[in-house]
Amino acid sequence: EVQLVESGGGLVQPGGSLRLSCAASGFTLSDHYMDWVRQAPGKGLEWVGRSRDKAHSYSTEYAASVKGSFTISIDDWKNSVFLQMNSLNTEDTAVYFCARVIQGNYAQDYWGQGTLVTVSS
Amino acid sequence: DIQMTQSPSSLSASVGDRVTITCRASQGISNSLAWFQQKPGKAPKSLIYAASSLQSGVPSRFSGSRSETDFTLTISSLQPEDFATYYCQQYKSYPITFGQGTRLEIK
């Protein structure tokens, strides 16, 4: 059974940093692209970024709103995806979800339950 | 960036109704369109990908179609568990973008 479990959310001050984790199980992480998507309170879904699979050297793409501040990385020994978030501001307050991308396609299938990040002084 | 315009933004319907939600892409995205269902406090659930392919385990009352840059999600006979917010998403090019959502409420 495919499972994605996010952790690492919490309260952080503006300008601070946080590292989110997404623990993957039930599939081979290195064979899949992986996404991060966020949702601000009461708002819609916003794509944050993507890591490609091992065959594509885990290269990444980011939304313009986070490029240069956020970094996605993969540790396939730990079967985990990470989102390093630096220079956080109040607009980054959101629930952050990780999502698996279907092999051979570019659509998402499985999502984690999300972790809440609150940026506030 | 590709803009996804979803309509309506909200919709009231009754159990057993046939419901249609549309999504228009600002430029061609071929079939690179997905639909998600989200209930309050929960993660989005993937329903359809490649415009019309049903994800495993999704009931057959859900279907998707495409006409050029217009995409449609149809629920053939609403069930109580279908009342939720629905989002379309294009994944043809980066940045991946979502529609603003359609809130489906009980009439």
Side-chain angles (χ1 to χ4, degrees), chain B:
Chain B
D1 298 2
I2 298 175
Q3 307 303 317
M4 304 302 295
T5 304
Q6 202 172 324
S7 61
S9 56
S10 65
L11 175 60
S12 293
S14 302
V15 172
D17 283 354
R18 180 183 180 89
V19 166
T20 297
I21 299 169
T22 62
C23 194
R24 173 169 289 175
S26 61
Q27 62 192 76
I29 59 170
S30 63
N31 281 344
S32 300
L33 189 284
W35 289 98
F36 297 88
Q37 176 194 68
Q38 188 180 32
K39 296 181 179 179
K42 300 293 186 183
K45 175 186 175 183
S46 176
L47 300 175
I48 286 170
Y49 65 100
S52 60
S53 296
L54 215 59
Q55 287 281 9
S56 175
V58 174
S60 59
R61 63 180 180 274
F62 291 91
S63 64
S65 63
R66 171 201 173 195
S67 176
E68 304 281 338
T69 57
D70 291 338
F71 298 84
T72 300
L73 172 70
T74 299
I75 310 172
S76 60
S77 178
L78 272 175
Q79 298 302 301
E81 61 268 28
D82 299 337
F83 292 94
T85 299
Y86 293 83
Y87 294 92
C88 62
Q89 179 208 63
Q90 71 80 21
Y91 51 91
K92 176 66 174 175
S93 66
Y94 300 110
I96 292 169
T97 47
F98 290 88
Q100 76 276 20
T102 295
R103 186 173 178 182
L104 179 53
E105 300 174 319
I106 301 173
K107 185 183 286 184

Side-chain angles (χ1 to χ4, degrees), chain A residues 4-59:
Chain A
L4 298 168
V5 179
E6 300 94 337
S7 60
L11 176 64
V12 60
Q13 291 189 336
S17 297
L18 209 56
R19 188 195 197 206
L20 305 183
S21 301
C22 170
S25 59
F27 66 101
T28 302
L29 182 60
S30 58
D31 289 343
H32 288 264
Y33 291 23
M34 295 294 295
D35 284 353
W36 285 95
V37 176
R38 67 184 179 182
Q39 186 170 38
K43 302 297 185 183
L45 299 168
E46 179 188 18
W47 176 78
V48 171
R50 169 170 287 182
S51 171
R52 295 181 179 87
D53 58 12
K54 188 173 185 177
H56 292 90
S57 304
Y58 297 128
S59 57

Side-chain angles (χ1 to χ4, degrees), chain A residues 19-99:
Chain A
R19 188 195 197 206
L20 305 183
S21 301
C22 170
S25 59
F27 66 101
T28 302
L29 182 60
S30 58
D31 289 343
H32 288 264
Y33 291 23
M34 295 294 295
D35 284 353
W36 285 95
V37 176
R38 67 184 179 182
Q39 186 170 38
K43 302 297 185 183
L45 299 168
E46 179 188 18
W47 176 78
V48 171
R50 169 170 287 182
S51 171
R52 295 181 179 87
D53 58 12
K54 188 173 185 177
H56 292 90
S57 304
Y58 297 128
S59 57
T60 52
E61 302 284 348
Y62 297 97
S65 58
V66 306
K67 195 169 185 179
S69 298
F70 289 13
T71 303
I72 298 173
S73 61
I74 306 285
D75 185 333
D76 49 14
W77 287 101
K78 293 183 178 179
N79 256 18
S80 293
V81 188
F82 302 99
L83 181 65
Q84 177 67 43
M85 305 184 295
N86 299 329
S87 304
L88 285 161
N89 60 61
T90 56
E91 294 172 351
D92 297 315
T93 294
V95 175
Y96 285 74
F97 301 98
C98 65

